[in-house]
Amino acid sequence: PVTDKVMQKIAMFSNVPLPRIFSMHDRASIYTIPDAMRDGGLDREILSLLKLHERVNAKQEDRERVTWSAFTKRLNAPRAHKVRIGVLGKYASLRDAYASIDKAIEHCGTALGTEIEIEWLDTSDVATLAEAKQIVSKFDGVIVPGGFGMRGVEGKVRCVEAARVDRVPFLGICLGFQVAVIEYARDVLGWTDAHSTEFDPATTHPVISELADQKKIEGIMGGTMRLGGQDVQIERGTLAHLIFGGREVVRERFRHRYEVDPKHVAALTAAGLIFSGRHTKHPIMQVLELPIAVHPYFIGAQFHPELTSRPLEPQPMFMGLIAAAIARREPDFAQTELGKRWVRTANGTSAPVTA
């Protein structure tokens, strides 16, 4: 922190009044900064400069401050649980590429009172299932995030298989959703050449491809991308229905070009893969999962759930993952109040509770 003496010198040499000099030094979390600003009187000085004091709703401000302060207290409080989460992608050396995932995990750790150790691993060099199993076994849960291009895709497929077979809690995001479909088609349906036409245009089982309507606008820069907010229809009695608090339609943010090919949905479903989230009007698969008899927490989203996570409202798919990771390490957690809300003990939920 900047000392009072240093702030006096800054005020003197910059011709800025001392009450308007603040110390914004590095902190353990960016979410502690608003309280630090208020403690330093920054809000008061800004209101004075802009002559806005009379427009402040003091009661509403007090309510919001109490809510935020409760969050920061939980943020800094001792954690009752500890888990290790692996983020298995291709941009592991560039942490900013997954900054939203990092924050979504932090939101969940605070809400669930859990210390979360995150390890970022590049899947480009994962050559065998045995290597993937060795990697995945180190974690209480894994996330396979999005990305573009062929590099690292086969490594992701192997890591998804390891998580599925060894029942390690799994969350697939965008490309992670797609490689989960590819892995299931290869290993369960026996379609050994199943792939995405993005990576193998000649595959005889294109389980992931551009839809016909998208191909009509090929050549327009960005024209085939599905971008921005879209509604997702959630099937009742599924894991997705449970973690989204019983809501049947949720709005999430998308950024992708390729989809699950509708021609293969029936075969994948017959083989046990559940598409629990779909487009409200078109045959576009947006959430996949496995039943609890097969896996405690295996779910994927074609959208980017990390983009809708907020400090006071953690994203449900991440909450479910972290809760499942806690329950994997501490089975009794499922019987706690938080565990009953977030840990699936049976398919579906008869009495959804909104967090």
Side-chain angles (χ1 to χ4, degrees):
V2 179
T3 64
D4 291 342
K5 188 173 183 179
V6 171
M7 286 195 284
Q8 289 170 5
K9 288 184 177 180
I10 292 172
M12 181 174 64
F13 288 109
S14 65
N15 202 29
V16 174
L18 183 59
R20 294 174 189 169
I21 306 294
F22 305 93
S23 175
M24 282 294 102
H25 48 278
D26 289 350
R27 297 174 182 274
S29 172
I30 62 171
Y31 300 123
T32 63
I33 291 177
D35 281 343
M37 287 180 171
R38 180 175 177 81
D39 291 343
L42 179 61
D43 55 344
R44 181 182 63 251
E45 292 299 322
I46 291 174
L47 290 172
S48 297
L49 283 168
L50 299 177
K51 297 180 172 59
L52 292 176
H53 278 289
E54 70 280 0
R55 297 179 63 178
V56 173
N57 184 330
K59 291 184 178 179
Q60 180 66 23
E61 182 190 9
D62 287 343
R63 285 194 295 269
E64 297 296 339
R65 187 169 67 253
V66 168
T67 301
W68 185 260
S69 295
F71 166 75
T72 56
K73 285 180 182 177
R74 293 196 304 273
L75 184 69
N76 296 314
R79 304 295 172 93
H81 315 286
K82 183 176 181 178
V83 297
R84 293 188 72 199
I85 300 295
V87 182
L88 313 179
K90 60 191 293 184
Y91 310 126
S93 60
L94 184 62
R95 288 283 298 277
D96 283 354
Y98 300 128
S100 296
I101 291 176
D102 200 11
K103 289 302 170 188
I105 293 172
E106 183 180 358
H107 302 161
C108 296
T110 302
L112 294 170
T114 303
E115 180 184 344
I116 303 175
E117 179 185 345
I118 308 173
E119 187 170 342
W120 309 79
L121 292 173
D122 192 330
T123 57
S124 302
D125 299 324
V126 181
T128 66
L129 177 60
E131 290 178 33
K133 281 176 168 282
Q134 186 176 11
I135 290 170
V136 170
S137 66
K138 299 190 300 180
F139 302 113
D140 302 302
V142 296
I143 298 171
V144 176
F148 290 93
M150 182 63 190
R151 182 176 67 82
V153 169
E154 290 300 326
K156 286 185 177 183
V157 171
R158 295 182 186 100
C159 288
V160 171
E161 182 178 357
R164 180 179 62 81
V165 172
D166 293 343
R167 296 171 58 87
V168 177
F170 164 83
L171 171 60
I173 299 173
C174 197
L175 181 58
F177 166 93
Q178 295 176 6
V179 296
V181 174
I182 293 168
E183 186 279 322
Y184 203 83
R186 289 181 184 179
D187 195 56
V188 179
L189 282 171
W191 299 348
T192 56
D193 75 329
H195 223 312
S196 167
T197 56
E198 178 182 4
F199 311 123
D200 183 6
T203 176
T204 60
H205 293 96
V207 291
I208 306 294
S209 67
E210 285 184 287
L211 301 187
D213 288 345
Q214 292 173 296
K215 293 175 183 177
K216 292 177 183 177
I217 53 177
E218 196 75 54
I220 301 174
M221 181 62 71
T224 59
M225 293 282 286
R226 293 184 68 227
L227 296 169
Q230 305 274 345
D231 286 341
V232 180
Q233 185 78 41
I234 303 296
E235 183 178 339
R236 293 182 63 85
T238 60
L239 171 60
H241 190 243
L242 167 66
I243 61 176
F244 279 108
R247 286 177 285 169
E248 295 186 16
V249 177
V250 298
R251 193 164 182 83
E252 295 289 344
R253 288 173 59 184
F254 290 77
R255 186 177 184 272
H256 68 103
R257 178 173 287 111
Y258 291 82
E259 314 272 4
V260 178
D261 194 314
K263 292 182 295 186
H264 298 297
V265 168
L268 289 163
T269 301
L273 191 61
I274 299 170
F275 290 106
S276 54
R278 307 185 180 210
H279 192 281
T280 54
K281 296 180 180 178
H282 305 293
I284 300 175
M285 307 300 111
Q286 298 178 335
V287 180
L288 65 78
E289 62 183 69
L290 290 174
I292 192 170
V294 177
H295 200 286
Y297 192 87
F298 188 99
I299 195 165
Q302 182 61 85
F303 49 83
H304 285 267
E306 71 275 18
L307 299 181
T308 55
S309 187
R310 300 292 182 266
L312 302 180
E313 296 181 13
Q315 210 283 336
M317 299 182 87
F318 281 88
M319 286 288 284
L321 175 73
I322 303 304
I326 299 171
R328 178 179 173 84
R329 181 175 283 200
E330 307 171 26
D332 290 344
F333 174 74
Q335 303 306 316
T336 65
E337 183 177 354
L338 281 172
K340 289 176 181 177
R341 167 61 182 93
W342 293 107
V343 178
R344 176 173 61 165
T345 54
N347 286 323
T349 171
S350 58
V353 179
T354 302

